[in-house]
Amino acid sequence: MNDVYYPFHLPPNIPFQIQVIQIADIYKHWHPTVELILMLRGSVTAKVQGEVSHLREGDLLLINSNQIHELSGQDNCLALTVHLDMHKFDLPQAEADQLYFVCNSSKDPDQSRYDNLRSLIALVVERNAAQAQDAAALYDNKSFAYSMLKELTREFQASRSTTPSQDKYLDRMNEIVRYIDDHYKEDLSLVQLASAVHLSPPYLSSLFSRYLDTTFSDYYNSVRLGHAV
């Protein structure tokens, strides 16, 4: 089970959302936001686009938008997550879509590169845990957001390898997994799902294999199990 230990209720016009969660298992998924995971306690095994990382206390990992990932927590682990919505920054949409970062302290011998980012996250938590969401908080949080973006682009920006055609297929998969989440109680079959999303069953099956590295039935069962827990 993955419990939200400390949610921070920020207004929707802030370019990020933060929460502290206790991670057990999070099955394969992706999202349009950039996610920063800062380990507070315990350890997590993260698999991002097939690459495995072992995170321990103090480690910082960035997951880019639309990267398929899964997490498995050990040792009663606790993590702070920051979701950055690049489309809420004052950037052209094409530029926001192309931003890509490589930020993984668990595989980097130079830990000093991450100090500024860790400090900014700590300031974000301190500001939002202790004070009300007033006009001053709005300006502070927007300042923090742009400071985090500046630090990411200065230290961790890299070339994006995802092609536009891959993005198109990920958009299609987003539609499919949203349908599963909305209808998971209905005892879906591959044929029923294929009909609902206007694809042939063999082609739909190949999408699960290609993008989620699993079968439809295994993914569907993991969704049902997650909701049951």
Side-chain angles (χ1 to χ4, degrees), residues 8-79:
F8 295 78
H9 302 292
L10 303 181
N13 56 342
I14 299 297
F16 63 86
Q17 293 294 320
I18 54 175
Q19 61 183 8
V20 176
I21 59 174
Q22 189 170 20
I23 299 174
D25 294 295
I26 301 177
Y27 51 81
K28 289 179 181 176
H29 68 290
W30 63 92
H31 36 69
T33 55
V34 171
E35 181 178 15
L36 282 163
I37 301 175
L38 176 63
M39 290 300 302
L40 304 178
R41 184 180 71 205
S43 60
V44 160
T45 299
K47 189 175 182 181
V48 183
Q49 298 288 105
E51 182 179 349
V52 176
S53 299
H54 301 286
L55 311 178
R56 301 189 180 279
E57 184 175 327
D59 272 331
L60 188 61
L61 171 68
L62 183 144
I63 300 167
N64 288 283
S65 61
N66 292 328
Q67 284 190 319
I68 298 168
H69 58 285
E70 58 185 315
L71 305 171
S72 178
Q74 301 88 35
D75 307 323
N76 195 26
C77 72
L78 205 63

Side-chain angles (χ1 to χ4, degrees), residues 96-126:
D97 288 339
Q98 288 304 309
L99 282 173
Y100 183 84
F101 308 101
V102 176
C103 175
N104 184 352
S105 69
S106 72
K107 295 188 174 184
D108 192 341
D110 185 5
Q111 292 297 303
S112 63
R113 296 178 64 212
Y114 303 83
D115 288 345
N116 288 341
L117 203 50
R118 290 188 184 105
S119 296
L120 279 168
I121 293 172
L123 288 171
V124 167
V125 172
E126 181 181 12

Side-chain angles (χ1 to χ4, degrees), residues 119-203:
S119 296
L120 279 168
I121 293 172
L123 288 171
V124 167
V125 172
E126 181 181 12
R127 178 63 177 89
N128 289 285
Q131 300 181 45
Q133 291 298 319
D134 53 13
L138 174 65
Y139 298 132
D140 286 342
N141 280 319
K142 287 195 172 184
S143 173
F144 291 142
Y146 279 92
S147 294
M148 284 190 283
L149 180 59
K150 177 183 176 181
E151 188 64 22
L152 287 172
T153 54
R154 185 172 69 92
E155 284 289 342
F156 303 104
Q157 189 169 4
S159 298
R160 178 184 283 274
S161 58
T162 303
T163 65
S165 61
Q166 287 175 308
D167 286 338
K168 178 185 70 175
Y169 287 119
L170 283 174
D171 288 342
R172 195 72 168 106
M173 286 302 299
N174 276 326
E175 176 189 347
I176 292 165
V177 298
R178 280 198 300 269
Y179 187 91
I180 294 174
D181 282 339
D182 291 340
H183 300 270
Y184 74 94
K185 294 181 179 179
E186 299 175 13
D187 200 19
L188 284 173
S189 69
L190 179 66
V191 173
Q192 288 170 324
L193 177 61
S195 176
V197 298
H198 311 293
L199 296 172
S200 70
Y203 183 70

